[in-house]
Amino acid sequence: MRVVILLLSFAAWTNGASINIVNSWDQGFQGTFIVHANHEVHGWTAELNFDAPITSLEVWKGTVTSHTPTKWVIENMPWDADLSAGDDLTVEFIAHASGLQNPSGTYTIKGAGTGSTTGSGTQTGSGTQTGSGSHTASPTTASPSNSGTTAKFDPITSGTSSTGGSTMKYDYGEALGLSILFFDAQRSGKLPANNPIPWRGDSAVDDADGGHDLSGGWYDAGDHVKFNLPMAFSTWVLEWGLLEFADGYKAAGQLDMACDMIKWPLDYFLKCWVPSKNELYVQVGDGGQDHSYWGRPENMHMSRPAYKVTTSCKGSDVAGDTVSALAAGYLVFKDVCSNTAYANKLLSAAKSLYTFTKANRGIYSQCVTQAAQFYSSSGEKDEVSTAAAWMYKATGEDKYLTDAESFYPAGTPWGFAWNDSNLGAALLLYEANQGTPYKRDIEAFLNSYRPTGYVPYTPCGLVWRDQWGPNRYAANAAFIALMAAKEGFSPAENKEWALSQINYLLGDNKLHISYEIGFGSKYPQHPHHRGSSCSTTTTQCSISDPGPNPNLLKGGLVGGPDKSDNYDDRRDDYVKNEVACDYNAGFQSALAGLRYFASKNSLPTAPAAQC
Ligand SMILES: *[C@@H]1O[C@H](CO)[C@@H](O)[C@H](O)[C@H]1NC(C)=O
């Protein structure tokens, strides 16, 4: 949900609106303001007036150009100067002060210029939701027809066959191996002896609530908070890929690495769920404090509070995703990673957590408000339905299937992402009983993401769902397309479409770079990632340090280009250049799918690059 701000409709000004204070602590606070574009904007200025003096102010989407203790003037960065009519740019900042009780203030925005639309294609008006323009790119390749539901192509004969498997335009196995290393670089806690990331060491080993150990898990993104909602989503999406495309991992020689990788968050979830108390921990670390620190996790010393859902502070969304991670983990360790004792432990936790989830329905971010600014949830039926569907797949017990069907929220999903797991439920339920609603929603989703559908495209062919991390939505949808292909939904078309998206990410784009760090010869050098950007030999480091990140964050998929295929490799641009567990999860499972189909001789020829 976005905050709705009332505006004078005839001007590109926001006059004296209140600054949104998100978080505050002894020595400072975190706030946001919104640059709303009523018309096309080229450059903007924000004037912040605080009720009490501020000693310094950190902001990434702008530069402080002048200030007095109470009045701070911020100007746009080069990369966020241009806004389309309807765009809302939310600007976060951290203010440092001492002895502030109730920080507050107002802001005024001045937008400059009203130049005409440039670039290819028209921009139509936009909703308040995303502020993005309409789909303007016309596909240069023939659009597949999306009407049929049954396989129109024989997957074997439509592929480019050879005795060693289908030809691959890019080495998906290599990209897969790199992505595993990204997750290993996100590890929190005491690292194992076989840690494959040379620049990472132990960190946050004292994460706990009172005496209850909560160390482990994955850092969320470029920061060091452990947010369980996206972590659990990422975990089951990776597990799903491991289950369905295990032969892809084997063909790439990556199965052992993958089993090691996926056990890390599962060990942590087993600590988070306390059945004897009916409590599930869902976050460790305070977003505001964490984001005010730019340094390596190994050198981090701030306090890291833990937050939980209970029978009174309900959160069936995050609990549901954790059930899915545990239940899918059971299948992975039983069938793919051969560790039966561990698998059984996961299943037992999944069962009790499912009971808790079903009995305590609610939206976690309404109670755990510390999560709201970062991973706010708008619904929980999708996660609960998906959890029940995984429980059915794990146990074969009908009661779970009945639940999954009754909780299923029908409709065409906006995307597949940490806040919307509908497509997980739809595909698992379709696999269970070929039900009509599931088939309809899967097809409607896939059609909406095609060049003929309503989701926008960049001119060079990336499906562009949102300005914030478009690569992730494209990769997630590519994974769904490959899963659908495996279930028999227009396999050749769906594989070709998935290839078009993954190939864009690996090099078929305007800049001819790989958006996956470490793949090929040209890739991002300045990802927004604290640990990667700070040398291991110093404790002094800043987001604006010159030069490329000293530690190579292999495998990280960065956010992605703007809607005209432009991208800047800037560390301070966390919209385009951050990495995150949930960005890589669908991407990695899609890579496993492509490698899997290649190993089965059923990968079609890659569509031509559009740029
Ligand atoms: C998920 O987040 C996106 C981006 O903010 C939003 O547009 C979409 O509606 C959200 N989906 C759900 C189900 O809340």
Side-chain angles (χ1 to χ4, degrees):
M1 275 297 162
R2 276 164 200 256
V3 180
V4 177
I5 302 268
L6 287 178
L7 292 148
L8 300 176
S9 59
F10 48 83
W13 302 67
T14 303
N15 244 321
S18 294
I19 289 168
N20 178 29
I21 306 295
V22 175
N23 221 323
S24 66
W25 54 94
D26 287 352
Q27 301 298 318
F29 60 95
Q30 181 191 18
T32 64
F33 61 88
I34 295 181
V35 181
H36 175 82
N38 275 9
H39 57 68
E40 189 164 324
V41 166
H42 301 290
W44 49 266
T45 303
E47 189 181 299
L48 275 52
N49 286 288
F50 296 103
D51 294 347
I54 304 299
T55 50
S56 67
L57 194 135
E58 289 172 47
V59 54
W60 292 328
K61 288 187 191 171
T63 314
V64 175
T65 52
S66 68
H67 69 90
T68 68
T70 56
K71 178 171 143 186
W72 293 72
V73 178
I74 295 170
E75 274 177 24
N76 61 273
M77 299 298 266
W79 46 268
D80 60 16
D82 298 335
L83 303 173
S84 302
D87 278 357
D88 277 340
L89 176 73
T90 302
V91 181
E92 273 185 35
F93 64 86
I94 306 259
H96 300 275
S98 53
L100 270 187
Q101 292 304 319
N102 291 305
S104 67
T106 59
Y107 68 98
T108 300
I109 304 288
K110 293 169 191 175
T114 54
S116 59
T117 305
T118 54
S120 61
T122 56
Q123 299 178 340
T124 63
S126 55
T128 50
Q129 278 278 319
T130 64
S132 62
S134 65
H135 168 200
T136 58
S138 34
T140 55
T141 50
S143 308
S145 138
N146 301 313
S147 51
T149 57
T150 47
K152 279 183 272 174
F153 301 89
D154 176 342
I156 302 296
T157 55
S158 70
T160 307
S161 301
S162 71
T163 47
S166 314
T167 309
M168 294 185 288
K169 178 163 183 182
Y170 293 98
D171 187 340
Y172 306 117
E174 186 198 337
L176 180 65
L178 286 168
S179 178
I180 291 172
L181 295 176
F182 168 72
F183 286 100
D184 290 345
Q186 295 300 98
R187 282 174 170 173
S188 178
K190 180 160 178 47
L191 299 189
N194 68 356
N195 159 42
I197 312 298
W199 47 271
R200 282 300 325 280
D202 300 347
S203 64
V205 292
D206 297 328
D207 278 0
D209 187 25
H212 186 86
D213 173 28
L214 293 168
S215 63
W218 286 326
Y219 295 127
D220 180 58
D223 60 350
H224 303 138
V225 184
K226 298 193 292 200
F227 288 113
N228 288 27
L229 182 65
M231 199 196 306
F233 170 80
S234 303
T235 302
W236 70 255
V237 169
L238 287 161
E239 289 165 339
W240 207 8
L242 256 162
L243 276 174
E244 296 292 337
F245 302 130
D247 286 348
Y249 278 93
K250 283 183 198 152
Q254 293 294 337
L255 193 59
D256 289 346
M257 287 298 284
C259 292
D260 243 29
M261 171 209 74
I262 204 64
K263 192 165 179 289
W264 199 258
L266 290 169
D267 286 348
Y268 167 70
F269 293 137
L270 289 172
K271 293 177 182 178
C272 290
W273 171 225
V274 192
S276 59
K277 291 186 172 168
N278 263 335
E279 292 176 354
L280 174 71
Y281 287 92
V282 298
Q283 179 175 334
V284 181
D286 174 282
Q289 284 192 55
D290 184 277
H291 290 189
S292 70
Y293 164 80
W294 191 272
R296 305 173 67 225
E298 290 81 358
N299 300 330
M300 159 176 89
H301 298 297
M302 82 227 1
S303 71
R304 289 171 54 87
Y307 307 96
K308 61 195 172 188
V309 296
T310 65
T311 52
S312 53
C313 174
K314 299 173 197 285
S316 44
D317 34 23
V318 60
D321 265 351
T322 312
V323 169
S324 296
L326 294 168
Y330 158 74
L331 292 169
V332 164
F333 280 91
K334 178 170 77 70
D335 298 336
V336 181
C337 295
S338 30
N339 185 341
T340 314
Y342 189 64
N344 290 335
K345 211 166 148 181
L346 295 173
L347 183 61
S348 153
K351 283 181 176 167
S352 55
L353 183 56
Y354 181 79
T355 305
F356 168 83
T357 302
K358 189 180 166 185
N360 296 286
R361 304 284 299 272
I363 292 180
Y364 89 117
S365 46
Q366 291 175 1
C367 177
V368 181
T369 51
Q370 288 77 5
Q373 181 64 19
F374 307 95
Y375 290 101
S376 189
S377 173
S378 58
E380 44 81 60
K381 280 189 175 153
D382 51 331
E383 282 92 5
V384 182
S385 177
T386 305
W390 274 114
M391 289 305 292
Y392 175 69
K393 194 172 163 77
T395 65
E397 290 176 37
D398 284 337
K399 65 175 185 190
Y400 294 120
L401 181 57
T402 309
D403 280 2
E405 294 207 274
S406 74
F407 301 142
Y408 181 74
T412 308
W414 178 91
F416 180 56
W418 62 267
N419 69 347
D420 195 344
S421 42
N422 249 18
L423 287 154
L427 274 157
L428 291 167
L429 286 168
Y430 180 82
E431 181 188 57
N433 65 15
Q434 287 79 53
T436 312
Y438 319 125
K439 180 173 144 190
R440 180 195 60 213
D441 293 347
I442 295 163
E443 285 175 341
F445 168 78
L446 291 170
N447 288 343
S448 74
Y449 270 61
R450 289 287 164 80
T452 45
Y454 53 77
V455 178
Y457 269 69
T458 68
C460 293
L462 180 72
V463 69
W464 199 85
R465 177 72 283 192
D466 196 13
Q467 65 165 355
W468 196 296
N471 288 348
R472 155 262 314 256
Y473 295 112
N476 287 353
F479 170 55
I480 292 297
L482 292 170
M483 288 295 304
K486 193 162 182 254
E487 283 293 327
F489 288 82
S490 309
E493 290 172 32
N494 278 315
K495 289 178 204 171
E496 277 165 21
W497 184 79
L499 277 170
S500 73
Q501 298 305 302
I502 298 297
N503 288 353
Y504 180 103
L505 300 180
L506 295 179
D508 283 5
N509 50 58
K510 183 154 112 182
L511 305 166
H512 305 294
I513 59 165
S514 160
Y515 283 102
E516 185 189 36
I517 301 164
F519 185 83
S521 55
K522 275 174 80 183
Y523 46 78
Q525 303 290 325
H526 308 83
H528 181 93
H529 187 276
R530 291 163 175 68
S532 150
S533 78
C534 297
S535 155
T536 53
T537 56
T538 174
T539 53
Q540 298 296 313
C541 120
S542 141
I543 188 172
S544 45
D545 284 346
N549 288 13
N551 308 313
L552 187 60
L553 184 62
K554 285 182 185 169
L557 178 74
V558 300
D562 68 14
K563 61 188 162 200
S564 309
D565 296 297
N566 298 317
Y567 155 82
D568 258 344
D569 181 13
R570 293 181 60 116
R571 193 178 298 130
D572 53 8
D573 186 348
Y574 54 85
V575 173
K576 293 195 187 68
N577 221 19
E578 191 161 8
V579 292
C581 292
D582 77 287
Y583 288 15
N584 263 79
F587 176 64
Q588 181 172 320
S589 288
L591 290 167
L594 294 177
R595 191 67 192 83
Y596 168 92
F597 287 119
S599 76
K600 307 285 175 202
N601 252 334
S602 66
L603 195 64
T605 306
Q610 295 191 31
C611 287

Coordinates of all heavy atoms in Angstrom, one line a residue, residues 546-600:
P546 N 35.1 6.1 -3.7 CA 35.3 5.9 -5.2 C 35.7 4.5 -5.6 O 36.2 3.8 -4.8 CB 36.4 7.0 -5.5 CG 37.1 7.1 -4.2 CD 36.2 6.8 -3.1
G547 N 35.5 4.2 -6.8 CA 36.0 3.0 -7.4 C 35.0 1.9 -7.2 O 34.0 2.0 -6.5
P548 N 35.3 0.8 -8.0 CA 34.3 -0.4 -7.9 C 34.3 -1.0 -6.5 O 35.3 -0.8 -5.7 CB 34.9 -1.3 -8.9 CG 36.2 -0.8 -9.4 CD 36.4 0.6 -8.8
N549 N 33.3 -1.8 -6.2 CA 33.3 -2.5 -5.0 C 34.5 -3.4 -4.9 O 34.8 -4.2 -5.8 CB 32.0 -3.4 -4.9 CG 30.7 -2.6 -4.7 OD1 30.7 -1.3 -4.8 ND2 29.6 -3.2 -4.3
P550 N 35.2 -3.4 -3.8 CA 36.4 -4.2 -3.7 C 36.1 -5.7 -3.6 O 37.0 -6.5 -4.0 CB 37.1 -3.7 -2.4 CG 36.0 -3.0 -1.6 CD 35.1 -2.5 -2.6
N551 N 35.0 -6.1 -3.1 CA 34.7 -7.5 -2.9 C 33.6 -7.9 -4.0 O 32.5 -7.3 -4.0 CB 34.1 -7.8 -1.5 CG 35.0 -7.3 -0.4 OD1 36.2 -7.5 -0.5 ND2 34.4 -6.6 0.5
L552 N 34.0 -8.8 -4.8 CA 33.1 -9.2 -5.9 C 31.9 -10.0 -5.4 O 32.0 -11.1 -4.9 CB 33.8 -10.0 -7.0 CG 33.1 -10.3 -8.3 CD1 32.7 -9.1 -9.0 CD2 34.0 -11.2 -9.2
L553 N 30.7 -9.4 -5.6 CA 29.5 -10.1 -5.1 C 29.0 -11.0 -6.2 O 28.0 -10.7 -6.9 CB 28.4 -9.0 -4.8 CG 27.1 -9.5 -4.2 CD1 27.3 -10.2 -2.9 CD2 26.1 -8.3 -4.1
K554 N 29.6 -12.1 -6.4 CA 29.3 -13.0 -7.5 C 27.9 -13.4 -7.4 O 27.3 -13.8 -6.4 CB 30.2 -14.3 -7.4 CG 31.6 -14.0 -7.8 CD 32.4 -15.4 -7.8 CE 33.8 -15.1 -8.1 NZ 34.6 -16.3 -7.8
G555 N 27.2 -13.4 -8.6 CA 25.9 -14.0 -8.7 C 24.7 -13.1 -8.4 O 23.6 -13.4 -8.7
G556 N 25.0 -11.9 -7.8 CA 23.9 -11.0 -7.5 C 23.2 -10.4 -8.7 O 23.9 -10.0 -9.6
L557 N 21.9 -10.5 -8.8 CA 21.2 -9.9 -9.9 C 20.7 -8.5 -9.4 O 20.0 -8.4 -8.4 CB 19.9 -10.7 -10.2 CG 19.0 -10.2 -11.3 CD1 19.7 -10.4 -12.7 CD2 17.6 -10.9 -11.2
V558 N 21.2 -7.4 -10.1 CA 20.8 -6.1 -9.7 C 19.4 -5.7 -10.2 O 18.9 -6.4 -11.1 CB 21.9 -5.0 -10.1 CG1 23.2 -5.3 -9.5 CG2 21.9 -4.9 -11.6
G559 N 18.9 -4.7 -9.6 CA 17.5 -4.3 -9.8 C 17.1 -4.2 -11.3 O 16.1 -4.7 -11.7
G560 N 17.8 -3.4 -12.1 CA 17.5 -3.4 -13.5 C 17.3 -2.0 -14.1 O 17.4 -1.0 -13.4
P561 N 17.1 -2.0 -15.4 CA 17.1 -0.7 -16.2 C 15.8 0.1 -16.0 O 14.8 -0.5 -15.5 CB 17.2 -1.2 -17.6 CG 16.5 -2.5 -17.6 CD 16.8 -3.1 -16.3
D562 N 15.8 1.3 -16.5 CA 14.5 2.1 -16.5 C 13.7 1.6 -17.7 O 14.1 0.7 -18.5 CB 14.8 3.6 -16.5 CG 15.4 4.1 -17.8 OD1 15.5 3.3 -18.8 OD2 15.9 5.2 -17.8
K563 N 12.6 2.2 -18.0 CA 11.7 1.7 -19.0 C 12.2 1.9 -20.4 O 11.6 1.5 -21.4 CB 10.3 2.2 -18.8 CG 10.1 3.7 -18.9 CD 8.7 4.1 -18.5 CE 8.6 5.5 -18.2 NZ 7.5 5.8 -17.4
S564 N 13.3 2.7 -20.5 CA 13.9 2.8 -21.9 C 15.2 2.0 -22.0 O 16.1 2.4 -22.8 CB 14.2 4.3 -22.1 OG 13.1 5.1 -21.9
D565 N 15.4 1.0 -21.1 CA 16.6 0.2 -21.1 C 17.9 0.9 -20.6 O 19.0 0.4 -20.8 CB 16.9 -0.4 -22.6 CG 15.8 -1.3 -23.1 OD1 15.6 -2.3 -22.5 OD2 15.2 -0.9 -24.1
N566 N 17.7 2.0 -20.0 CA 18.9 2.7 -19.5 C 19.2 2.3 -18.1 O 18.3 2.0 -17.3 CB 18.7 4.2 -19.5 CG 18.5 4.7 -20.9 OD1 19.2 4.3 -21.8 ND2 17.5 5.6 -21.1
Y567 N 20.5 2.3 -17.7 CA 20.9 1.8 -16.4 C 22.2 2.5 -16.1 O 23.0 2.7 -16.9 CB 21.0 0.3 -16.5 CG 21.9 -0.3 -15.4 CD1 21.5 -0.5 -14.1 CD2 23.3 -0.6 -15.8 CE1 22.4 -1.1 -13.2 CE2 24.1 -1.2 -14.8 CZ 23.7 -1.4 -13.5 OH 24.5 -1.9 -12.6
D568 N 22.3 2.9 -14.8 CA 23.5 3.5 -14.3 C 24.1 2.6 -13.3 O 23.4 2.2 -12.3 CB 23.2 4.8 -13.7 CG 23.5 6.0 -14.6 OD1 24.3 5.8 -15.6 OD2 23.0 7.1 -14.3
D569 N 25.4 2.3 -13.4 CA 26.0 1.4 -12.4 C 26.5 2.3 -11.2 O 27.7 2.5 -11.0 CB 27.2 0.7 -13.1 CG 27.9 -0.3 -12.1 OD1 27.4 -0.5 -11.0 OD2 29.0 -0.7 -12.5
R570 N 25.5 2.7 -10.4 CA 25.9 3.6 -9.3 C 25.5 2.9 -8.0 O 24.4 2.4 -7.8 CB 25.0 4.9 -9.4 CG 25.3 5.8 -10.5 CD 24.4 7.0 -10.4 NE 24.7 7.7 -9.1 CZ 25.2 8.9 -9.0 NH1 25.5 9.6 -10.1 NH2 25.4 9.4 -7.9
R571 N 26.4 3.0 -7.0 CA 26.2 2.4 -5.7 C 25.0 3.0 -4.9 O 24.3 2.4 -4.2 CB 27.5 2.5 -4.9 CG 27.4 1.6 -3.7 CD 28.8 1.6 -2.9 NE 29.9 1.2 -3.7 CZ 31.0 1.9 -3.9 NH1 31.2 3.0 -3.3 NH2 31.9 1.4 -4.6
D572 N 24.8 4.3 -5.2 CA 23.8 5.0 -4.4 C 22.4 4.8 -5.0 O 21.4 5.3 -4.5 CB 24.1 6.5 -4.2 CG 24.4 7.2 -5.5 OD1 24.2 6.6 -6.5 OD2 24.8 8.4 -5.4
D573 N 22.3 4.2 -6.1 CA 21.0 4.0 -6.8 C 20.4 2.6 -6.4 O 20.6 1.6 -7.1 CB 21.2 4.1 -8.3 CG 19.8 4.0 -9.0 OD1 18.8 3.7 -8.4 OD2 19.8 4.3 -10.2
Y574 N 19.7 2.6 -5.3 CA 19.3 1.3 -4.8 C 18.0 0.9 -5.5 O 17.5 -0.2 -5.3 CB 19.1 1.3 -3.3 CG 18.3 2.3 -2.7 CD1 16.9 2.2 -2.6 CD2 18.9 3.5 -2.2 CE1 16.1 3.2 -2.0 CE2 18.1 4.5 -1.6 CZ 16.7 4.3 -1.5 OH 16.0 5.3 -1.0
V575 N 17.5 1.7 -6.3 CA 16.3 1.3 -7.1 C 16.8 0.4 -8.3 O 16.2 -0.7 -8.5 CB 15.5 2.5 -7.7 CG1 14.4 2.1 -8.6 CG2 14.9 3.3 -6.5
K576 N 17.8 0.8 -9.0 CA 18.3 0.1 -10.1 C 19.5 -0.9 -9.8 O 19.8 -1.8 -10.5 CB 18.8 1.0 -11.2 CG 17.8 1.9 -11.9 CD 18.4 2.5 -13.2 CE 17.4 3.5 -13.8 NZ 17.3 4.7 -13.0
N577 N 20.2 -0.6 -8.7 CA 21.4 -1.3 -8.5 C 21.6 -2.0 -7.1 O 22.7 -2.3 -6.7 CB 22.6 -0.3 -8.7 CG 23.7 -0.9 -9.5 OD1 23.6 -1.9 -10.2 ND2 24.9 -0.4 -9.3
E578 N 20.4 -2.3 -6.5 CA 20.5 -3.1 -5.3 C 20.4 -4.6 -5.7 O 20.0 -4.9 -6.8 CB 19.5 -2.7 -4.2 CG 19.7 -3.3 -2.9 CD 19.0 -2.7 -1.7 OE1 18.2 -1.8 -1.9 OE2 19.4 -3.1 -0.5
V579 N 20.7 -5.4 -4.8 CA 20.6 -6.8 -4.9 C 19.7 -7.3 -3.8 O 19.6 -6.6 -2.8 CB 21.9 -7.6 -4.9 CG1 22.8 -7.3 -6.1 CG2 22.6 -7.2 -3.6
A580 N 19.1 -8.5 -3.9 CA 18.2 -8.9 -2.8 C 18.0 -10.4 -2.9 O 18.0 -10.9 -4.0 CB 16.9 -8.2 -2.7
C581 N 17.7 -11.1 -1.8 CA 17.4 -12.5 -1.9 C 16.2 -12.8 -2.8 O 16.3 -13.7 -3.6 CB 17.1 -13.1 -0.5 SG 18.6 -13.1 0.6
D582 N 15.2 -11.9 -2.7 CA 14.0 -12.2 -3.5 C 14.3 -11.9 -5.0 O 13.5 -12.3 -5.8 CB 12.8 -11.6 -2.9 CG 12.7 -10.1 -3.2 OD1 13.5 -9.3 -2.6 OD2 11.9 -9.7 -4.1
Y583 N 15.3 -11.1 -5.3 CA 15.6 -10.8 -6.7 C 16.2 -12.1 -7.3 O 16.0 -12.4 -8.5 CB 16.6 -9.7 -6.9 CG 16.2 -8.3 -6.6 CD1 15.0 -8.1 -5.9 CD2 16.9 -7.2 -7.0 CE1 14.6 -6.8 -5.7 CE2 16.5 -5.9 -6.8 CZ 15.3 -5.7 -6.1 OH 14.9 -4.4 -5.9
N584 N 17.0 -12.8 -6.5 CA 17.8 -13.9 -7.1 C 17.0 -15.2 -7.1 O 17.4 -16.1 -7.8 CB 19.1 -14.1 -6.4 CG 20.3 -13.5 -7.1 OD1 20.5 -12.3 -7.0 ND2 21.1 -14.2 -7.8
A585 N 16.0 -15.3 -6.2 CA 15.4 -16.6 -6.0 C 14.7 -17.1 -7.3 O 15.0 -18.2 -7.8 CB 14.4 -16.5 -4.9
G586 N 13.8 -16.3 -7.9 CA 13.1 -16.7 -9.1 C 14.1 -16.9 -10.3 O 14.0 -17.8 -11.1
F587 N 15.1 -16.0 -10.3 CA 16.1 -16.0 -11.3 C 16.9 -17.3 -11.3 O 17.0 -18.0 -12.3 CB 17.0 -14.8 -11.0 CG 18.2 -14.7 -11.9 CD1 18.1 -14.5 -13.3 CD2 19.5 -14.8 -11.4 CE1 19.2 -14.3 -14.1 CE2 20.7 -14.6 -12.2 CZ 20.5 -14.4 -13.6
Q588 N 17.3 -17.7 -10.1 CA 18.0 -18.9 -10.0 C 17.2 -20.2 -10.4 O 17.7 -21.1 -11.1 CB 18.6 -19.1 -8.5 CG 19.4 -20.4 -8.4 CD 20.1 -20.4 -7.0 OE1 20.6 -19.4 -6.5 NE2 20.1 -21.6 -6.4
S589 N 15.9 -20.1 -9.9 CA 15.1 -21.3 -10.3 C 14.8 -21.3 -11.8 O 14.6 -22.4 -12.4 CB 13.8 -21.3 -9.5 OG 14.1 -21.6 -8.1
A590 N 14.7 -20.1 -12.4 CA 14.5 -20.1 -13.9 C 15.8 -20.6 -14.6 O 15.7 -21.3 -15.6 CB 14.2 -18.6 -14.3
L591 N 17.0 -20.2 -14.1 CA 18.2 -20.7 -14.7 C 18.2 -22.3 -14.6 O 18.6 -23.0 -15.5 CB 19.4 -20.1 -14.0 CG 19.7 -18.7 -14.2 CD1 20.7 -18.1 -13.2 CD2 20.1 -18.4 -15.7
A592 N 17.8 -22.8 -13.4 CA 17.8 -24.2 -13.2 C 16.8 -24.9 -14.2 O 17.1 -25.9 -14.8 CB 17.3 -24.6 -11.8
G593 N 15.7 -24.2 -14.5 CA 14.7 -24.7 -15.5 C 15.3 -24.7 -16.9 O 15.2 -25.7 -17.6
L594 N 16.0 -23.7 -17.3 CA 16.6 -23.6 -18.6 C 17.6 -24.7 -18.7 O 17.7 -25.4 -19.8 CB 17.2 -22.2 -18.9 CG 16.1 -21.1 -19.0 CD1 16.9 -19.8 -19.2 CD2 15.1 -21.4 -20.1
R595 N 18.4 -24.9 -17.7 CA 19.5 -25.9 -17.7 C 18.9 -27.3 -17.8 O 19.4 -28.2 -18.4 CB 20.4 -25.7 -16.5 CG 21.7 -26.6 -16.6 CD 22.6 -26.1 -17.7 NE 23.7 -27.0 -18.1 CZ 23.5 -28.1 -18.8 NH1 22.4 -28.4 -19.4 NH2 24.6 -28.9 -19.1
Y596 N 17.8 -27.4 -17.1 CA 17.0 -28.7 -17.0 C 16.5 -29.0 -18.4 O 16.7 -30.1 -18.9 CB 15.8 -28.6 -16.0 CG 14.8 -29.7 -16.1 CD1 14.9 -30.8 -15.3 CD2 13.7 -29.6 -16.9 CE1 14.0 -31.8 -15.3 CE2 12.7 -30.6 -17.0 CZ 12.9 -31.7 -16.2 OH 11.9 -32.7 -16.2
F597 N 15.8 -28.1 -19.1 CA 15.3 -28.4 -20.4 C 16.4 -28.6 -21.4 O 16.2 -29.4 -22.3 CB 14.3 -27.3 -20.8 CG 13.0 -27.3 -20.1 CD1 12.6 -26.2 -19.3 CD2 12.1 -28.4 -20.2 CE1 11.4 -26.2 -18.6 CE2 10.9 -28.4 -19.5 CZ 10.6 -27.3 -18.7
A598 N 17.5 -27.9 -21.2 CA 18.6 -28.1 -22.2 C 19.1 -29.6 -22.0 O 19.4 -30.2 -23.0 CB 19.7 -27.1 -21.9
S599 N 19.2 -30.0 -20.7 CA 19.7 -31.4 -20.5 C 18.8 -32.4 -21.0 O 19.2 -33.6 -21.3 CB 20.0 -31.6 -19.0 OG 18.8 -31.8 -18.3
K600 N 17.5 -32.1 -21.2 CA 16.5 -33.0 -21.7 C 16.3 -32.8 -23.2 O 15.3 -33.3 -23.8 CB 15.1 -32.8 -21.0 CG 15.1 -32.8 -19.5 CD 15.2 -34.2 -19.0 CE 15.3 -34.2 -17.5 NZ 16.0 -35.3 -16.9

